[in-house]
Amino acid sequence: MARSPSTPVGVFPQTRMRRNRRWDWSRRMVRENTLTPDDLIWPVFVCDGVDRTEKIATMPGVVRYSPDQLPKAVGEAKALGIPSVALFPATPAELKTPDGREAWNPNNLVCQAIRAIKDTHPDMGVMCDVALDPFNSDGHDGIVRDGHVVNDETIEALCRQAFVQVEAGCDIIAPSDMMDGRIGALRVALDESGHDQILLMSYAAKFSSGFYGPFRSAIDSNSFLKGETKDTYQMDPANTDEAMREVALDIAEGADMFMVKPGLPYLDIIQRVKEQFGVPTFAYNVSGEYAMLRFAAENGALDYEHVMMETLMSFKRAGCNGVLTYFAIDAAKLLNGE
Ligand code: PBG
């Protein structure tokens, strides 16, 4: 095309956005975000028993491991360069009570799991959820009285739960319960018991989401929840400013890391948290997000590897420092060229 000297610079045909996209090497040169195994946190389900792995029907490709199976599974994650795992126990139904007391049994499933991992992999980061739902016969994250999840009494229970987990060797306490004031209370309780180096990753902006469905069947909390919602403590999906207040409070209360959950439907929250506060920000790419892609891929609608990597990159683009994801092992293998 003839170019007259008066054609303004900066528009077509001088500017051709596709030049940078033409070659693999040029695409790599202009890439704005990267994904590495360092960005991945692997959530792992734990079941009772010995030498067992149990499939989870709602999460194809994900299994529950008995504690003795964890050194091998976690060893694989470590070899792939994944820095930490997050543990979730599937507590036997007969141990669930209204006060969730199994949560602070120093020999409960999650404590057994921590010890099994730390005995073999002391340099692997181990993160544990703090919330009563795996132990509570009402299926809620806190103690229920007169039909309401009580805040302050639940916090005392959560502090006990966190204590047995750190005594067993857990490095990061991750409260997912959404009680008010729990970060400050946990920080004080940890500091006063000689655990001032234990990290707190707050599930700061956790929404009352339908995307937790497969997780609730994986730890069998939904059969106890009996159709009730968690709307009186988890956030309304309609709200953004409220998420900023939650994060601001958790910063003030002493959290070290901050999570937005679920991930994909809340990328706007992630971006705003990162921009407004500049804190270490994480997303939980939750069970329902995993199941959606996995079931669609199994039925030929999507290419599994392609949508997995695209999804994980979206979290980096939004501003995440890392992602809790059931894709962790598959993604790390791909990133390592396996
Ligand atoms: C429980 C908890 C939930 C998840 C992590 N911790 C579920 C819930 O709040 O009901 C969900 C994780 C997932 O869906 O993958 N406090």
Side-chain angles (χ1 to χ4, degrees):
M1 191 198 282
R3 178 163 32 164
S4 91
S6 61
T7 308
V9 175
V11 296
F12 184 81
Q14 290 87 347
T15 298
R16 289 179 182 271
M17 296 300 284
R18 292 182 55 197
R19 279 189 209 110
N20 285 344
R21 295 179 199 144
R22 175 133 189 200
W23 313 104
D24 176 66
W25 58 261
S26 60
R27 288 191 294 272
R28 278 160 39 217
M29 283 175 74
V30 300
R31 185 158 296 152
E32 298 174 40
N33 291 285
T34 53
L35 181 71
T36 80
D38 291 340
D39 299 315
L40 306 171
I41 299 169
W42 184 34
V44 177
F45 294 107
V46 186
C47 64
D48 209 12
V50 178
D51 194 18
R52 272 173 83 177
T53 54
E54 299 173 347
K55 290 194 168 133
I56 300 167
T58 51
M59 301 177 74
V62 175
V63 298
R64 290 181 282 250
Y65 299 93
S66 58
D68 61 291
Q69 298 297 299
L70 288 170
K72 184 163 167 270
V74 172
E76 187 192 7
K78 191 175 115 178
L80 288 166
I82 294 171
S84 69
V85 291
L87 303 178
F88 297 95
T91 308
E94 63 274 16
L95 294 176
K96 300 192 183 190
T97 56
D99 61 0
R101 61 178 56 232
E102 179 64 8
W104 54 92
N105 168 3
N107 200 33
N108 68 17
L109 204 46
V110 81
C111 291
Q112 292 174 36
I114 300 164
R115 285 192 288 265
I117 294 169
K118 282 292 180 176
D119 281 351
T120 22
H121 307 293
D123 52 350
M124 187 71 172
V126 173
M127 173 164 143
C128 289
D129 215 58
V130 164
L132 297 184
D133 56 326
F135 313 97
N136 180 280
S137 49
D138 295 304
H140 277 291
D141 291 18
I143 296 165
V144 180
R145 293 224 184 282
D146 303 324
H148 187 65
V149 174
V150 290
N151 196 87
D152 303 11
E153 192 182 339
T154 296
I155 290 182
E156 285 173 34
L158 300 177
C159 289
R160 290 189 192 169
Q161 177 184 19
F163 181 75
V164 299
Q165 291 173 346
V166 299
E167 287 279 307
C170 164
D171 304 289
I172 307 179
I173 287 295
S176 69
D177 56 285
M178 292 300 279
M179 297 301 112
D180 285 322
R182 90 277 209 214
I183 296 296
L186 283 162
R187 187 69 275 160
V188 169
L190 291 172
D191 290 356
E192 285 181 351
S193 60
H195 295 296
D196 64 0
Q197 296 303 304
I198 297 298
L199 286 83
L200 280 176
M201 179 187 282
S202 177
Y203 285 67
K206 177 170 176 180
F207 291 86
S208 188
S209 172
F211 288 97
Y212 308 146
F215 176 98
R216 289 181 189 170
S217 32
I219 67 158
D220 189 29
S221 66
N222 51 356
S223 64
F224 292 88
L225 205 53
K226 297 189 184 69
E228 285 184 27
T229 72
K230 299 190 177 183
D231 290 354
T232 68
Y233 46 106
Q234 299 181 349
M235 283 185 53
D236 182 342
N239 296 352
T240 307
D241 289 342
E242 189 184 338
M244 300 304 112
R245 287 184 75 196
E246 285 281 7
V247 173
L249 286 168
D250 288 351
I251 293 173
E253 290 179 33
D256 303 287
M257 301 171 172
F258 302 84
M259 195 200 296
V260 174
K261 176 185 176 187
L264 281 182
Y266 298 92
L267 289 172
D268 57 324
I269 311 284
I270 294 167
Q271 185 174 34
R272 209 174 145 195
V273 167
K274 192 63 174 184
E275 279 181 359
Q276 191 159 325
F277 300 109
V279 291
T281 303
F282 294 80
Y284 200 142
N285 176 216
V286 301
S287 56
E289 301 171 52
Y290 172 84
M292 280 197 299
L293 300 192
R294 192 79 206 209
F295 282 118
E298 284 190 354
N299 287 283
L302 295 173
D303 179 80
Y304 176 65
E305 292 184 351
H306 193 158
V307 293
M308 167 175 77
M309 297 316 259
E310 185 177 341
T311 297
L312 295 175
M313 187 61 85
S314 76
F315 294 113
K316 293 302 300 289
R317 203 180 61 240
C320 276
N321 295 77
V323 190
L324 286 92
T325 179
Y326 303 97
F327 294 121
I329 296 284
D330 287 347
K333 281 185 183 163
L334 261 187
L335 291 167
N336 287 318
E338 285 177 28

